[in-house]
Amino acid sequence: MKRLTLLRHAKSDWLDRSLRDFDRPLNARGLKGAKAMGYYAAEKKMVFDAVVASPAVRVTETIDHFETAYGQTLHPDWDRRIYLASSVTLIDVLRGVNDSANHVLMVGHNPGLEDLVFDLVPDDGSSPLRDVVEEKFPTAALAIMDLSIDSWAKLDNRTAKLIEVTRPRDLDPELGPQDDD
């Protein structure tokens, strides 16, 4: 059994239109959301054996602020393939994770992360949380899945059970939807 936690990058800043998409930083709300999720992970005593992440600025800043609140350094493997990747590409990245890692944190972008949930979790009514992700997988949201595999190389569609979805607004109503969402 393996566990996969997905963390979508926190809310990014669109003020400087001269920046490439890859270089966009977090805005103030994003900083607060990333920290809220880090505190939550610490409170729940989540332990990650491996972290794979997009090297985009908004992801690196999400991890920095998550780590501050989490109280531990994550030492991510930065993988450019995760930047704006499809679910298929994300599965390929995960298949390359060392089998000594039982709990992997993947930090990246939508729509790829959301689509990964849809591909890994069967749409057979066995996971009511899938509907939460279908409604919206907002910035800084966490999705935790248990995978019925013993090797990351065996990761495939419909091998996961979605056990938790936590959005920033679940932890702090001020981090809920606003006009700019």
Side-chain angles (χ1 to χ4, degrees):
M1 178 77 64
K2 301 289 186 188
R3 177 166 281 184
L4 174 62
T5 297
L6 303 178
L7 174 61
R8 184 174 172 204
H9 68 78
K11 191 81 176 152
S12 61
D13 191 341
W14 288 89
L15 292 178
D16 186 348
R17 298 288 181 182
S18 70
L19 290 175
R20 295 180 314 149
D21 179 72
F22 187 88
D23 297 324
R24 282 189 294 114
L26 297 183
N27 66 17
R29 191 165 141 222
L31 300 176
K32 190 173 179 183
K35 285 182 182 175
M37 299 315 282
Y39 285 126
Y40 178 75
E43 176 186 308
K44 292 293 185 176
K45 297 182 178 13
M46 293 181 194
V47 177
F48 308 107
D49 303 315
V51 178
V52 291
S54 162
V57 170
R58 60 191 178 274
V59 173
T60 64
E61 289 186 1
T62 296
I63 291 172
D64 288 345
H65 293 281
F66 180 96
E67 283 177 333
T68 298
Y70 181 60
Q72 296 180 41
T73 304
L74 296 175
H75 306 290
D77 286 328
W78 304 107
D79 193 324
R80 181 78 182 213
R81 294 176 296 166
I82 298 171
Y83 175 66
L84 303 181
S86 68
S87 174
V88 171
T89 300
L90 296 176
I91 287 173
D92 283 343
V93 169
L94 290 164
R95 285 179 179 153
V97 171
N98 189 302
D99 284 332
S100 64
N102 289 312
H103 188 177
V104 171
L105 172 64
M106 177 177 269
V107 189
H109 312 265
N110 256 5
L113 291 180
E114 187 174 286
D115 289 342
L116 183 60
V117 172
F118 299 147
D119 288 344
L120 294 179
V121 178
D123 188 13
D124 60 4
S126 65
S127 181
L129 291 173
R130 195 175 191 278
D131 294 339
V132 174
V133 177
E134 282 187 28
E135 178 188 323
K136 185 173 184 182
F137 191 61
T139 53
L142 276 173
I144 303 172
M145 294 172 276
D146 281 340
L147 306 163
S148 56
I149 56 173
D150 58 2
S151 170
W152 289 102
K154 295 179 182 176
L155 183 63
D156 205 353
N157 292 345
R158 296 173 296 286
T159 56
K161 178 177 181 177
L162 186 59
I163 60 168
E164 182 178 331
V165 176
T166 305
R167 303 161 299 189
R169 68 177 163 205
D170 299 330
L171 307 175
D172 181 349
E174 288 184 18
L175 294 172
Q178 295 180 354
D179 293 338
D180 62 347
D181 284 346

